[in-house]
Amino acid sequence: MSQNKIDIKKFQSLIALLLLCIVLGLMTDKFFTAENGLNVLRQVAVNICIATGMTLIVLTAGIDLSVGSVLALCGAVTAGLFKNGLEFPSSDLFVGFTMLGAILAGLLLGALIGWINGFSITKFNVPPFVATLAMLTIARGFTMLYTKGHPISNLGKDFANIGSGTFIEIPVPVWLAIVVVIIAVVVTQKTRLGRYIYAIGGNEQAAKLSGINIKKVKLIVYSLAGSLAALGGIIVTARLDSAQPNAGISYELDAIAAVVIGGTSLSGGKGSVRGTVLGAIIIGVLNNGLVLLNVSPFWQQVVKGAVILLAVIIDKLGEKKE
Amino acid sequence: MLEAKHISKQFGGVKALTDVNLKLYPGKVNAIIGENGAGKSTLMKIFSGVHTEYGGEILLNEKNVCFAGTKDAEAAGIAIIHQELNLVPYLTITENIFLGSELVNHWGLLDKKQMQDKTRQLLKKLNLGIHPDTKIASLKVGQQQLVEIAKALHIQADVIIMDEPTSAISDKEADNLFSIIAQLKAEGKTIAYISHKLKELFAVADKYVILRDGQTVDAGDMKSVSQDELIHKMTGRQLGFEKSGRTINEAPVLLSVKNLCLRHWLLRFTNVLNNISFDLHKGEILGVYGLMGAGRTEMLETIFGLHPKNGSGTIIVNDQDIKIKSPAGAIVAGIALVPEDRKLHGLILNQTVKSNISITVLKQLERWRFLLSSGKEKELSKNYINQLGIKTASDMAAAKSLSGGNQQKIVLAKWMATHPQVLLLDEPTRGVDINAKAEIYKLMKSMAARGIGIVMVSSELPEILAVSDRVLVMCEGKLTANIAIEEATEAGILKYALHKTETIA
């Protein structure tokens, strides 16, 4: 009996997604086409990358508000390094970057920013909300400084392919998201690190007394989330063939929404990457459906907000019954 | 006069109080005496309206009263000053005293002037020369306590209950407190005074009531009783278990603790632990007894590396001087700690029995140093579930769904899995039913028989006597006795736990 209950809870978001798809399929002709499906997936790929990192953080009972800005900064730096290289005017030194080199540098920068978030949280006990809120502003500021407020465009066909190319009919960003999700699922479900993440979110004191190095785990998690935001930035930049200084604004909210709709508890210890992926797809399908139904963008925001609220209420009601 | 008649109180199936009868006299300091868990706090909570469901009746000035809550009790003139003070740190003295009963002027705004004046009068009465607008956070603990008393005076309480008022203050502050108590006494207030410090009770109290195992065992005048008589009355109970009576002294020393000190986390010049030194032999069960606040838990925590900044001293395991800076370091050194509060510190309640057991040894369950082997993990948890007789629907059940005793066994299992040499147990049978208790004792003895050294902190004297091979007694952060089990008696142990005697080497 109790086993059944758990199963229903587990598939709650999947059922919601299926219902949503059926309703949209009945209401519009275009929804159930391969083209539209791939379109939705391409749109949610970036959010899936960011939200996967966010899930790891939220599982430790933390949060990262800086991902949108980190996305913009790392996208811009990757584009800038690839296109213009790195110049040291004082010493006449110039370092050029290959595409792969620039991408790696962007990912590393994301990890570094995440590490700094983790450092202020673990070393100085700054609440994650505040530490990453500060980083949101700082990273955006650096983005503006680095780009001087102008987009960095025309990055070449190879780079653009990361965002708009396909591989076996499926968009490259979707492949990237799939790889990220598979790795994240393995890490959370099958490795020591994953267990520690859940343990810290479930009961930090007990985790500490069990000999887990809380600080180290948190540093790793925030760094991972930072580099996943950077990956999102690289995809966004490639898709537009241009790094926009204003990229990624309010992306953190979409990521948190995906995490929450996917059933991960903001107080930590409960939830899954799988749920977050479903959450991100639900948001994507909803956006897509509302556009297909010609709902005004203003109403779209209202509906999206209401869905988030509804998802959490259903989750809480389920908890009470237990 | 406050009188309790046939008071009884149950928590779940556990009887906390059974047919308690006592009288608290006005104009007197009435000492309430008893071991940890004797029922003192429960009784005081009934008097002050915290617990509203109980059997029996309470008479205040010969009238039957029944409080629906603390506000009710306060209105009837009963105030309680808890050991953990109940003030809002970032509000001023005035704001705290008038919290919930603020005075307003005819505009409906706070009448600060009048509240301040009243506070000033109260503070003057208590010889506290501090401005009423001082924030609580900037006061010393002793001063905060006086603010609590001022609060009690403000609501014109006739009965003032003080729970361990001198546990956190200096001798000088205590003297000041005693003179204020004398003053309140002279005004005809009823003072109920709970303390473990017998010397202090002889100085300040007029009457005494002794509680033991939730029952009143004796009452009378302080003048007509001696310290030894009091101690005897607090403990005089039948032993429920056989003494263990083994001698282990010939076994090699496993753990040697030297000059362990722990600084207070806030008060830099106060020590929570003072130069604690002892040896633990292979296969020995060392019982540690002490009253609340003696520093027992802190001692285990310091050994386990939880206080790397404030703790100091030498810890030698198997003749090796080791520096333990974190629980992880302690585990590597072969030390395990089963904490006092399993829900707060021992378990991840929402997670499965399986992952709670395996959390300490995940590294050993990895394949290719990377992926956890679910087969190995299942085997490990099944093994301990069977070995310890953990009653659970399955290894995938959430830890919170198990009973207290079975939860405690999970915590034991997760530490047994690390194959420790030294096992530190903090109140291992708290909140555990009698069967599980016996099983845990059996388990401890079988581990000791395999050469594991066990340090068991306990508040229950019968438990200490039943399982220990040797008994350490702590009092106010110091080790006050090291008694071989053959010479240990309840009264003897309690004497050292209560007295401030010379520290043993």
Side-chain angles (χ1 to χ4, degrees), chain B residues 396-425:
Chain B
M396 297 303 284
K400 67 179 168 193
S401 67
L402 274 63
S403 71
N406 285 303
Q407 287 184 351
Q408 187 69 354
K409 286 185 193 167
I410 302 178
V411 184
L412 282 166
K414 87 181 213 189
W415 287 113
M416 285 168 72
T418 66
H419 300 295
Q421 301 182 53
V422 176
L423 185 60
L424 310 175
L425 303 173

Coordinates of all heavy atoms in Angstrom, one line a residue, chain B residues 396-425:
Chain B
M396 N 14.7 -0.4 3.0 CA 14.4 0.8 2.3 C 13.4 1.7 3.0 O 13.0 2.7 2.5 CB 13.8 0.5 0.9 CG 14.8 -0.3 0.0 SD 16.3 0.7 -0.3 CE 15.7 1.9 -1.4
A397 N 13.0 1.3 4.3 CA 12.1 2.1 5.0 C 12.8 3.4 5.5 O 14.0 3.3 5.8 CB 11.5 1.3 6.2
A398 N 12.1 4.5 5.6 CA 12.7 5.7 6.2 C 13.0 5.5 7.6 O 12.2 4.9 8.4 CB 11.8 6.9 5.9
A399 N 14.2 6.1 8.0 CA 14.6 5.9 9.4 C 13.6 6.4 10.4 O 13.4 5.9 11.5 CB 15.9 6.6 9.6
K400 N 12.8 7.5 10.0 CA 11.9 8.1 10.9 C 10.7 7.1 11.2 O 10.0 7.4 12.2 CB 11.4 9.4 10.4 CG 10.5 9.3 9.1 CD 10.0 10.7 8.6 CE 9.5 10.5 7.2 NZ 9.2 11.8 6.6
S401 N 10.5 6.1 10.4 CA 9.3 5.2 10.6 C 9.6 4.2 11.7 O 8.7 3.5 12.1 CB 8.9 4.5 9.3 OG 10.0 3.6 9.0
L402 N 10.9 4.2 12.2 CA 11.2 3.1 13.2 C 11.0 3.7 14.7 O 11.0 4.9 14.9 CB 12.7 2.7 13.0 CG 12.9 1.6 12.0 CD1 12.5 2.0 10.6 CD2 14.4 1.2 12.0
S403 N 10.9 2.8 15.6 CA 10.8 3.2 17.0 C 12.2 3.7 17.5 O 13.2 3.4 16.9 CB 10.4 2.0 17.8 OG 11.4 1.1 18.0
G404 N 12.1 4.3 18.7 CA 13.3 4.9 19.2 C 14.5 3.9 19.4 O 15.6 4.2 19.0
G405 N 14.1 2.8 19.9 CA 15.2 1.8 20.2 C 15.8 1.3 18.9 O 17.0 1.1 18.8
N406 N 15.0 1.1 17.9 CA 15.5 0.6 16.6 C 16.3 1.7 15.9 O 17.3 1.4 15.2 CB 14.3 0.1 15.7 CG 13.9 -1.3 16.2 OD1 14.7 -2.2 16.3 ND2 12.6 -1.4 16.5
Q407 N 15.8 3.0 16.1 CA 16.6 4.1 15.5 C 18.0 4.1 16.1 O 19.0 4.3 15.5 CB 15.9 5.4 15.8 CG 14.7 5.6 14.9 CD 14.1 7.0 15.1 OE1 14.4 7.7 16.0 NE2 13.1 7.3 14.3
Q408 N 18.0 3.9 17.5 CA 19.3 3.9 18.2 C 20.2 2.8 17.6 O 21.4 3.0 17.5 CB 19.1 3.8 19.7 CG 20.3 4.0 20.5 CD 20.8 5.4 20.5 OE1 20.3 6.2 19.8 NE2 21.9 5.7 21.2
K409 N 19.6 1.7 17.3 CA 20.4 0.6 16.8 C 21.0 0.9 15.4 O 22.1 0.5 15.1 CB 19.5 -0.7 16.7 CG 19.3 -1.4 18.0 CD 18.5 -2.7 17.8 CE 17.9 -3.2 19.0 NZ 17.0 -4.3 18.7
I410 N 20.2 1.7 14.6 CA 20.8 2.1 13.3 C 22.0 2.9 13.6 O 23.1 2.8 12.9 CB 19.8 3.0 12.5 CG1 18.5 2.2 12.3 CG2 20.4 3.4 11.2 CD1 17.4 3.0 11.5
V411 N 21.9 3.8 14.5 CA 23.1 4.7 14.8 C 24.3 3.8 15.2 O 25.4 4.0 14.8 CB 22.8 5.8 15.9 CG1 24.0 6.7 16.0 CG2 21.6 6.6 15.4
L412 N 24.0 2.8 16.1 CA 25.1 1.9 16.5 C 25.6 1.2 15.3 O 26.8 1.0 15.2 CB 24.5 0.9 17.6 CG 24.4 1.5 19.0 CD1 23.5 0.5 19.8 CD2 25.7 1.6 19.6
A413 N 24.7 0.7 14.4 CA 25.2 0.0 13.3 C 26.1 0.8 12.4 O 27.1 0.3 11.9 CB 24.0 -0.5 12.5
K414 N 25.7 2.0 12.2 CA 26.5 2.8 11.3 C 27.9 3.0 11.8 O 28.9 3.2 11.1 CB 25.8 4.1 10.9 CG 26.1 5.3 11.8 CD 25.3 6.5 11.3 CE 26.0 7.8 11.6 NZ 25.2 9.0 11.3
W415 N 28.1 3.0 13.1 CA 29.4 3.2 13.7 C 30.1 1.8 13.8 O 31.3 1.8 13.7 CB 29.3 3.9 15.0 CG 29.0 5.3 14.8 CD1 27.9 6.0 15.1 CD2 29.9 6.2 14.1 NE1 28.0 7.3 14.6 CE2 29.2 7.5 14.0 CE3 31.1 6.2 13.5 CZ2 29.7 8.6 13.4 CZ3 31.6 7.3 12.9 CH2 30.9 8.5 12.8
M416 N 29.4 0.7 14.1 CA 30.0 -0.6 14.1 C 30.6 -0.9 12.8 O 31.7 -1.5 12.6 CB 29.0 -1.6 14.5 CG 28.7 -1.6 16.0 SD 27.2 -2.6 16.4 CE 28.0 -4.3 16.1
A417 N 30.0 -0.4 11.7 CA 30.4 -0.6 10.3 C 31.8 -0.1 10.1 O 32.6 -0.5 9.3 CB 29.5 0.0 9.3
T418 N 32.2 1.0 10.9 CA 33.6 1.5 10.7 C 34.6 0.7 11.5 O 35.8 1.1 11.4 CB 33.6 3.0 11.2 OG1 33.4 3.0 12.6 CG2 32.6 3.9 10.6
H419 N 34.2 -0.3 12.2 CA 35.1 -1.1 13.0 C 35.9 -0.3 13.9 O 37.2 -0.3 13.8 CB 36.0 -2.0 12.1 CG 35.2 -3.0 11.3 ND1 34.4 -4.0 11.8 CD2 35.0 -3.0 10.0 CE1 33.7 -4.6 10.9 NE2 34.1 -4.1 9.7
P420 N 35.3 0.5 14.8 CA 36.1 1.4 15.7 C 36.9 0.6 16.7 O 36.5 -0.5 17.1 CB 35.0 2.2 16.3 CG 33.8 1.3 16.4 CD 33.9 0.5 15.2
Q421 N 37.9 1.2 17.2 CA 38.6 0.7 18.4 C 38.1 1.3 19.7 O 38.0 0.7 20.7 CB 40.1 1.0 18.3 CG 40.8 0.5 17.1 CD 42.2 0.8 17.1 OE1 42.9 0.5 18.1 NE2 42.7 1.4 16.1
V422 N 37.7 2.6 19.5 CA 37.1 3.3 20.7 C 35.7 3.7 20.3 O 35.5 4.4 19.3 CB 38.0 4.5 21.0 CG1 37.3 5.3 22.1 CG2 39.4 4.1 21.3
L423 N 34.7 3.4 21.2 CA 33.4 3.8 20.9 C 32.9 4.7 22.0 O 32.9 4.4 23.2 CB 32.5 2.5 20.9 CG 31.0 2.7 20.5 CD1 30.9 3.3 19.1 CD2 30.3 1.3 20.5
L424 N 32.5 5.9 21.6 CA 32.0 6.9 22.6 C 30.5 6.9 22.5 O 29.9 7.1 21.4 CB 32.6 8.3 22.2 CG 34.1 8.4 22.0 CD1 34.4 9.9 21.6 CD2 34.8 8.1 23.3
L425 N 29.8 6.6 23.6 CA 28.4 6.6 23.6 C 27.8 7.6 24.5 O 28.2 7.7 25.7 CB 27.9 5.2 24.1 CG 28.4 3.9 23.4 CD1 27.9 2.7 24.1 CD2 27.8 3.9 21.9

